[in-house]
C-alpha cells in the first residue's frame, strides 16, 4: 500500500507520530483518520509533516490560535495583533513583512509573561501562530510550530471548562484545520512526493 491508501497507523509510525496518535488511528485508513480526528493539533502536525502548503498551514494555525482569544483580557491586544499579522502574511491580503510578523510574535510572547494563566496560554497560542508564519516564510516550517498553535489554544480553553473544554476546543480546531486543508489537499501533497 502507498502513503495515500495505506493503513494510517503504519504511515504515522513512519512519520514519527506519537504513540497515542498511532493507537487512535489503528484500523483506519489515512483518509478516515483525517476525516474523523477530533484533535486539531494532530491534524496540523500531520499536514505540516506531509508538506502541505505553508501558507495554508499558517492560516489554519491562526484560526486555531484565535480560539484562545476569549481568555485574553479585553484591554490586551498583542495576541490578537500577532495572529492578524501572521494571517495577513499568509493570505497576502495586506502587505506584511516578516519583520512585522516577528515583532508581533515577540509582543505576544511578552504579553504571555505577565498575564494570568489562561490569558498567558492564549498569548502563547498567538505567539505560536505568528511563529509558524515566520518559520513558513523561511521555508522551514516544522510540524511542531503548527501543532503548538492548536495545542496551546486548547490548553487555554481548559482553564474554565476542564477536560470538556479541552476536547471541545480541539474538535473545533480540527474542523477549522479541515476547512482550510481538506483531505484532497493532503492526498495531493502525498501523491506529489513523500518528503517525510
Amino acid at each position: 500500500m502507498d502513503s495515500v491508501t495505506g493503513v494510517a497507523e503504519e504511515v504515522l509510525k513512519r512519520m514519527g507520530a506519537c504513540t497515542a496518535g498511532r493507537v487512535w488511528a489503528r484500523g483506519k485508513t489515512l483518509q478516515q483518520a483525517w476525516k474523523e480526528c477530533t484533535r486539531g493539533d494532530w491534524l496540523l502536525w500531520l499536514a505540516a509533516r506531509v508538506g502541505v502548503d505553508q501558507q495554508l498551514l499558517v492560516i489554519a494555525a491562526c484560526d486555531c490560535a484565535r480560539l484562545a482569544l476569549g481568555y485574553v483580557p479585553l484591554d490586551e491586544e498583542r495576541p490578537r495583533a500577532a495572529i492578524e499579522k501572521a494571517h495577513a502574511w499568509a493570505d497576502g491580503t495586506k502587505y506584511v513583512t516578516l519583520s512585522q510578523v516577528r515583532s508581533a510574535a515577540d509582543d505576544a510572547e511578552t504579553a504571555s509573561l505577565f498575564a494570568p494563566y489562561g490569558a498567558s496560554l492564549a498569548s502563547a497560542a498567538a505567539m505560536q501562530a505568528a511563529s509558524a508564519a515566520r518559520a513558513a516564510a523561511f521555508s522551514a516550517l516544522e510540524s511542531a510550530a503548527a501543532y503548538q498553535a492548536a495545542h496551546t489554544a486548547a490548553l487555554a480553553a481548559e482553564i474554565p471548562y476542564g477536560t470538556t473544554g479541552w476536547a471541545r476546543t480541539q474538535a473545533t480546531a480540527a474542523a477549522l484545520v479541515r476547512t482550510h486543508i481538506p483531505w484532497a489537499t493532503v492526498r495531493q501533497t502525498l501523491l506529489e512526493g513523500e518528503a517525510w
Side-chain angles (χ1 to χ4, degrees):
M1 288 191 197
D2 61 26
S3 59
V4 177
T5 60
V7 176
E9 184 181 8
E10 295 169 12
V11 175
L12 293 172
K13 183 176 182 179
R14 285 198 318 265
M15 290 182 186
C18 67
T19 301
R22 294 192 324 260
V23 168
W24 175 85
R26 191 168 287 153
K28 295 174 175 56
T29 65
L30 198 55
Q31 179 178 2
Q32 287 172 317
W34 183 262
K35 291 183 174 185
E36 295 173 13
C37 182
T38 58
R39 292 279 306 261
D41 52 356
W42 286 0
L43 293 180
L44 282 171
W45 177 89
L46 179 60
R49 189 73 176 95
V50 302
V52 165
D53 178 76
Q54 293 171 330
Q55 276 77 11
L56 286 177
L57 285 169
V58 171
I59 290 168
C62 287
D63 278 1
C64 291
R66 277 190 184 95
L67 297 174
L69 288 177
Y71 306 99
V72 177
L74 293 177
D75 60 346
E76 176 55 79
E77 286 297 315
R78 292 173 288 187
R80 184 180 314 280
I83 293 169
E84 289 173 0
K85 290 284 186 199
H87 192 279
W89 174 86
D91 74 7
T93 56
K94 297 179 184 174
Y95 179 74
V96 176
T97 66
L98 270 183
S99 177
Q100 291 170 316
V101 172
R102 185 178 298 113
S103 178
D106 291 345
D107 288 348
E109 182 175 24
T110 300
S112 74
L113 297 174
F114 302 103
Y117 188 62
S120 174
L121 287 168
S123 296
M127 181 191 67
Q128 292 295 343
S131 295
R134 181 173 59 209
F138 287 115
S139 298
L141 181 62
E142 295 179 7
S143 51
Y147 166 91
Q148 284 299 330
H151 183 73
T152 312
L155 282 174
E158 187 177 17
I159 305 311
Y161 299 112
T163 304
T164 302
W166 165 266
R168 185 173 27 250
T169 301
Q170 282 289 4
T172 301
L176 289 169
V177 172
R178 281 189 289 267
T179 296
H180 295 291
I181 309 170
W183 168 249
T185 300
V186 176
R187 183 179 188 280
Q188 185 61 38
T189 304
L190 284 164
L191 288 172
E192 289 172 358
E194 297 181 357
W196 40 269

